[in-house]
């Protein structure tokens, strides 16, 4: 009981601080409060970095996705709206660098695939204009480098390759590409392309059985060779072998209320960070050992404010910071892991 009242007192002080900050500093923090207190353990997982970005007024549209270039310390945000820059570039400290809008219609997902040899940004475009239904590669200044798909034409063909509302992609350092194509369009597909864009394997049916999808919305790959797919409409995460495409298993026990909208791994590969859009919640889920997918095990949650609506997120591979694109709040926020917490979970 003493621990409970200690937690409650701490939460009250924290809320009082936010109210004062909002009243006297004109800050929007109170609207976007994140309840980082676990009432069962009294141990917060992350803290909200209220100083990121330095000038949130650069968010002038609806922020759908965020990609982190951990190698160069850059954060890319893609937003929707008329007559505004579609891509914003920030430093990891929150300073605005530049914006660009070239050949981007309606962004949905973004991925920073930078290596020591190349800085590249990939964007999935679900627009109906001349650049829509494509996946495009840019350099860090917004110059178009590569287009996958048939610009302006949705479809399901593989030769030539077509997309319909491609949701997200993940690019390995080797150049191999994993794509989930199906944010409510014709397709419900997961496939892998070689660095020269040849099809390596494909799962492409709508349904509820293994290897079938209903709005595959996010994809990531772990260091052990497993592909994790947020199968949002089926309220589950499906897992595949990255080399063969073999189905390894699925998690549905964590998602009875709502399916996952985004999935990423912590830098050590031991936990997955999963967003649930309409619940405005992030889950910290334990990654199973190699050879066993097992059941989903939640080790913590980050409850966001109502109607924040976390759409897609990314995790800094160096610092472990989570960047969340929130379409309800029309912003991206940064959450910093508390030092030593995750190492203590695994001890």
């Amino acid at each position: 009981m003493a621990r409970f009242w200690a937690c409650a007192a701490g939460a009250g002080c924290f809320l009082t601080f936010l109210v004062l900050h909002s009243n006297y500093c004109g800050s929007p923090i109170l609207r976007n409060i994140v309840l980082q207190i676990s009432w069962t353990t009294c141990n917060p997982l992350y803290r909200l970095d209220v100083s990121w970005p330095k000038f949130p007024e650069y968010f002038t549209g609806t922020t759908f996705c965020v990609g982190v270039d951990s190698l160069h310390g850059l954060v890319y945000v893609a937003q929707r709206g008329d007559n505004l820059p579609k891509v914003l570039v920030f430093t990891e400290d929150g300073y605005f660098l530049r914006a660009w809008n070239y050949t981007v219609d309606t962004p949905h997902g973004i991925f920073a695939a930078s290596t020591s040899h190349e800085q590249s940004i990939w964007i999935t475009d679900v627009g109906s204009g001349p650049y829509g239904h494509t996946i495009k590669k840019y350099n860090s200044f917004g110059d178009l480098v590569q287009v996958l798909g048939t610009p302006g034409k949705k479809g399901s063909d593989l030769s030539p390759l077509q997309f319909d509302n491609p949701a997200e992609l993940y690019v390995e350092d080797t150049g191999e590409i994993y794509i989930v194509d199906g944010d409510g369009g014709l397709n419900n597909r997961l496939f892998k392309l070689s660095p020269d864009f040849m099809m390596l394997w494909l799962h492409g049916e709508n349904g509820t059985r293994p290897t079938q999808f209903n709005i595959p919305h996010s994809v990531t790959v772990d260091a052990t060779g497993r592909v994790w797919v947020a199968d949002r409409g089926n309220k589950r995460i499906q897992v595949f072998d990255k080399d063969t495409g073999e189905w390894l298993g699925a998690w549905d026990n964590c998602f009875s209320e709502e399916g996952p909208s985004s999935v990423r791994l912590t830098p050590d590969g031991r936990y997955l960070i999963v967003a649930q859009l309409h619940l405005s919640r992030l889950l910290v889920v334990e990654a199973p050992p190699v050879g066993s997918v097992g059941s989903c095990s939640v080790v913590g949650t980050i409850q966001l404010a109502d109607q924040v609506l976390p759409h897609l997120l990314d995790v800094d591979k160096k610092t472990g910071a989570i960047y969340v694109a929130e379409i309800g709040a029309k912003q991206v926020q940064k959450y910093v892991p508390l030092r030593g917490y995750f190492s203590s979970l695994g001890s």
Side-chain angles (χ1 to χ4, degrees), residues 39-60:
W39 296 105
T40 55
T41 64
C42 204
N43 290 323
L45 305 177
Y46 289 82
R47 65 172 177 84
L48 172 64
D49 185 347
V50 296
S51 68
W52 201 99
K54 303 300 182 184
F55 301 100
E57 56 266 27
Y58 282 106
F59 299 136
T60 54

Side-chain angles (χ1 to χ4, degrees), residues 90-138:
F90 298 87
T91 68
E92 62 183 353
D93 295 326
Y95 291 99
F96 175 77
L97 293 179
R98 55 185 173 270
W100 39 275
N101 193 30
Y102 310 111
T103 71
V104 181
D105 189 351
T106 308
H108 186 277
I110 191 169
F111 188 85
S114 295
T115 67
S116 57
H117 305 291
E118 180 185 39
Q119 285 181 262
S120 58
I121 308 302
W122 293 83
I123 295 176
T124 64
D125 195 329
V126 300
S128 57
Y131 302 114
H133 301 294
T134 56
I135 297 177
K136 290 169 288 199
K137 177 183 179 181
Y138 299 87

